[in-house]
Amino acid sequence: MTPIDIAIMAAGKGTRMKSRIPKVLQKLAGRPLLGHVLDTAGQLRARSVVVITGHGAIEVEAFGSSLASAGAGFDLQFARQEPQLGTGHAMQQAMPRLADDGLVVVLSGDVPLTEAATLRALIDAAGGERLALLTVTLPDPTGYGRIVRGAGGTVQRIVEHKDASEAERAITEIYSGIMAVPARLLRGWLGRLSNDNAQGEYYLTDVVAMAVAGGVPVVAHRIEDALQVAGVNSPLQLAELERAHQARQARALMEAGVRLMDPARFDLRDDARRGVRGELLCGPDVEIDVGCIFTGRVEIGEGARIGAHCCIADARIAAGAVIHPYTHIDGESAGVRVGAGALVGPFARLRPGAELGPEVHIGNFVEVKNSSLAAGAKANHLAYLGDATVGERVNYGAGSITANYDGAHKHRTVIEADAHIGSNCVLVAPVTIGAGGTVGGGSTITQDTPPGALSVARGRQVNLSGWQRPTKKPAGDGG
Ligand code: UD1
Ligand code: CA
């Protein structure tokens, strides 16, 4: 087997993105475009990968290095191309890093959806001694290099759109920008490129005519699926590829049995903050309503239901749980756990370290952070639980909060089993509410309460009889 070395062109500017971010770092499903291409390289078990950088080289190289240090499985190098004098010139910069015994696969950093199986077929077509081009037929081939075939249909050369005659422009089979070619052959051809063409660029595509002249067979591996070779040049194209990618993910989930109410309104993204791959693992009979966004690694147990328009990141949701619409769950690094049969939302917010036991209820406008709630505990309305340990069957009243932060440090609140916290209470941490105790509505609790007691900490009610409400002076008396 010939070792596979991959060259990824990523020096271009991407002017039409109108962005300060280098084009290959624009995100598709939360992952930079170059990250998608490097993933594909990983799937091909490449020996080495050379990324050709230019515009935004420092950022692009930093991103590539971060992936490589996370264990990409291949040797990653960079080659700077400054200035950018064309795709052939780009490959000339990469050649010193590519060994003669390898098969070079040329990819673009802005073409994210190429499937590894397609590239394997291209590699097989090259077979260690041929030049293999990945081609596709487009209804509108404007702008692309055309595949010029001779007698018997053999590939003769590629002509760039700007250099093409009227007759050549009528050809609809185009070069995708992806080829596989033995390194030793490529090296010789690249040394002979000229920039005598309409754009004054060194065209990589000129190697095709050189191969033909030198008696090296050229094969075109033509595919049907244009999405696999579609590049990103504008925000619109990026959005189109995003939808195509999401549709693929949605299809795979549905094939695994997940019920998506509408696969066109489904999103699964990487958690770019932590570099965690978007991954949705569902048990049987999971239902997901429209407009949900899943980020990072999310697990959903058997029969759980996710309502419309929920954002769920880095969380584990156990069997039978119901997440009502418009709920925001963000586990980030600490994760969020939702127990079996729990009910959450609508409009609930679960933040890092929220751990809900079985059958817990978290209702509308309730925020939970770094807190555990044991089985059957309920906080149904307008409440905050931060740094709290909440026992079984606790009922936490509407409008109540844990005052967990003293301006410098965070402190814990412990609410023991079966306690009942009335409405609008402030539990000033550190504090413990004893098991089975009741806290009267409106209390500000600053000291531990004994088990089983009624604790009330608020101003006593005063009633003044015969109180006269102020009245307005008659208008127009000048004052
Ligand atoms: C190239 C092909 C064309 C093909 C098309 C597919 C050539 C001469 N033409 O067109 O036949 O149909 O791709 O999309 O190869 N890049 C560099 N350095 C450079 C120039 C480009 O790194 O000096 C990178 C770009 O960032 C991009 C890729 O190479 O990732 C392709 O460049 P682009 O300008 O998009 O393609 P064309 O040259 O127009
Ligand atoms: Ca160009």
Side-chain angles (χ1 to χ4, degrees):
M1 271 290 292
T2 314
I4 294 165
D5 298 308
I6 293 181
I8 302 176
M9 296 205 216
K13 185 154 185 213
T15 313
R16 278 195 281 150
M17 289 303 295
K18 300 196 165 84
S19 169
R20 278 185 235 286
I21 300 164
K23 183 164 76 171
V24 296
L25 298 187
Q26 300 285 343
K27 290 192 179 80
L28 183 104
R31 188 182 316 162
L33 294 172
L34 179 60
H36 288 267
V37 182
L38 287 169
D39 275 357
T40 312
Q43 291 172 47
L44 291 176
R45 306 194 184 288
R47 168 173 68 180
S48 74
V49 175
V50 180
V51 180
I52 300 143
T53 61
H55 282 285
I58 290 173
E59 290 154 275
V60 174
E61 290 170 14
F63 168 72
S65 301
S66 73
L67 279 193
S69 62
F74 45 72
D75 169 47
L76 182 68
Q77 303 183 71
F78 301 98
R80 289 274 178 103
Q81 186 202 14
E82 276 160 348
Q84 287 89 42
L85 304 178
T87 52
H89 179 251
M91 283 309 299
Q92 286 169 350
Q93 315 313 306
M95 284 323 284
R97 292 177 172 71
L98 294 167
D100 260 343
D101 64 338
L103 182 74
V104 179
V105 179
V106 178
L107 303 175
S108 272
D110 59 356
V111 178
L113 300 187
T114 320
E115 284 171 17
T118 300
L119 296 177
R120 276 189 210 108
L122 184 74
I123 288 163
D124 289 347
E129 71 266 7
R130 289 179 288 273
L131 167 57
L133 308 170
L134 188 64
T135 72
V136 66
T137 299
L138 296 181
D140 177 12
T142 308
Y144 291 96
R146 309 298 208 280
I147 304 294
V148 180
R149 290 174 183 268
T154 56
V155 177
Q156 297 299 304
R157 59 196 176 93
I158 294 173
V159 61
E160 291 304 303
H161 181 90
K162 287 186 176 148
D163 300 285
S165 65
E166 277 306 310
E168 287 163 343
R169 284 185 183 182
I171 299 170
T172 53
E173 186 185 6
I174 62 106
Y175 170 54
S176 64
I178 295 173
M179 66 170 67
V181 52
R184 68 194 146 78
L185 296 176
L186 182 61
R187 200 181 309 280
W189 298 328
L190 287 175
R192 289 157 40 205
L193 289 181
S194 91
N195 64 351
D196 180 17
N197 53 52
Q199 302 186 79
E201 284 182 12
Y202 295 91
Y203 291 164
L204 175 59
T205 43
D206 283 352
V207 303
V208 176
M210 293 180 188
V212 171
V216 175
V218 179
V219 289
H221 177 66
R222 179 154 35 164
I223 59 167
E224 300 295 326
D225 180 8
L227 277 172
Q228 288 199 42
V229 298
V232 172
N233 294 300
S234 67
L236 178 64
Q237 287 171 343
L238 182 59
E240 285 168 353
L241 292 194
E242 175 81 33
R243 282 325 325 147
H245 175 70
Q246 294 299 347
R248 271 190 193 172
Q249 297 194 130
R251 197 177 313 126
L253 283 165
M254 290 187 294
E255 278 164 6
V258 180
R259 240 64 53 72
L260 296 181
M261 292 303 285
D262 182 359
R265 283 180 287 172
F266 167 84
D267 288 86
L268 170 60
R269 303 174 182 159
D270 284 12
D271 185 344
R273 298 168 301 185
R274 304 193 296 126
V276 176
R277 183 165 289 278
E279 207 179 351
L280 183 58
L281 301 154
C282 294
D285 295 306
V286 166
E287 289 178 27
I288 299 173
D289 210 334
V290 302
C292 292
I293 301 175
F294 297 91
T295 306
R297 187 186 160 91
V298 176
E299 288 177 35
I300 306 178
E302 175 166 358
R305 300 200 320 259
I306 313 294
H309 303 289
C310 291
C311 296
I312 301 180
D314 306 301
R316 279 159 56 199
I317 295 166
V322 179
I323 312 295
H324 289 293
Y326 301 101
T327 290
H328 190 274
I329 298 179
D330 185 3
E332 215 182 306
S333 47
V336 163
R337 218 160 40 74
V338 175
L343 305 180
V344 180
F347 299 103
R349 182 174 186 211
L350 304 182
R351 295 177 55 204
E355 305 228 325
L356 313 187
E359 310 291 333
V360 162
H361 293 187
I362 296 294
N364 41 232
F365 307 108
V366 175
E367 173 183 349
V368 181
K369 193 203 167 200
N370 192 32
S371 294
S372 62
L373 285 83
K378 294 183 171 69
N380 271 325
H381 329 268
L382 300 164
Y384 175 59
L385 281 161
D387 301 306
T389 304
V390 178
E392 295 181 357
R393 296 172 300 279
V394 162
N395 196 310
Y396 192 77
S400 289
I401 67 155
T402 55
N404 56 324
Y405 185 54
D406 61 14
H409 300 101
K410 302 240 175 108
H411 301 283
R412 281 204 86 77
T413 300
V414 177
I415 306 174
E416 293 178 351
D418 298 299
H420 185 108
I421 313 296
S423 296
N424 222 36
C425 293
V426 181
L427 309 180
V428 182
V431 74
T432 296
I433 308 300
T438 301
V439 176
S443 291
T444 296
I445 300 291
T446 56
Q447 295 162 25
D448 292 355
T449 69
L454 169 65
S455 306
V456 184
R458 63 181 184 227
R460 272 185 181 280
Q461 183 167 325
V462 177
N463 301 314
L464 302 177
S465 314
W467 164 252
Q468 285 287 327
R469 206 182 293 154
T471 50
K472 265 202 170 139
K473 296 211 178 86
D477 74 353

